Amino acid sequence: METTISRWGNSEAVRIPREVLRLVGLRSGDQVGFEVNEQGRIELVPVEAAHRRIVPTKGVTFDALFKHYKGGVASSENAWPDDDLVGAEWDAWSR
């Protein structure tokens, strides 16, 4: 594939085809750095974006998050109506 360097404001820009971005796991809006390698070629280097990975706050562990959780305990014996109707069905039939 080939592309053309074009003027963009006071800079120059290169369009990268979507298929190429998908091959390397990038998409529009991702930040990349660039380097010039030993052969004088430009290499794009993805910047690891914080929104793409989940990093817990320091000291937060799985056990700490669920310390007071008592799984399987219902908050009310009558949390749902006695039949299978819920949501819009319940509203329609309960009038």
Side-chain angles (χ1 to χ4, degrees), residues 36-41 43:
V36 178
N37 66 20
E38 297 83 24
Q39 292 83 26
R41 295 174 184 245
E43 294 182 5

Side-chain angles (χ1 to χ4, degrees), residues 62-76:
F62 182 83
D63 291 332
L65 285 173
F66 295 96
K67 181 177 176 181
H68 300 291
Y69 176 72
K70 295 179 175 89
V73 177
S75 60
S76 170

Side-chain angles (χ1 to χ4, degrees), residues 1-2 9 13 20 26 29-30 33 38 40 44 60 69 72 76-77 79 91:
M1 288 185 193
E2 294 181 1
V20 173
L26 293 172
D30 287 349
E38 297 83 24
L44 295 178
V60 174
Y69 176 72
S76 170
E77 290 183 18
D91 291 341

Side-chain angles (χ1 to χ4, degrees), residues 73-94:
V73 177
S75 60
S76 170
E77 290 183 18
N78 195 14
W80 293 98
D82 292 336
D83 58 12
D84 294 329
L85 301 176
V86 295
E89 292 175 316
W90 175 255
D91 291 341
W93 284 95
S94 62

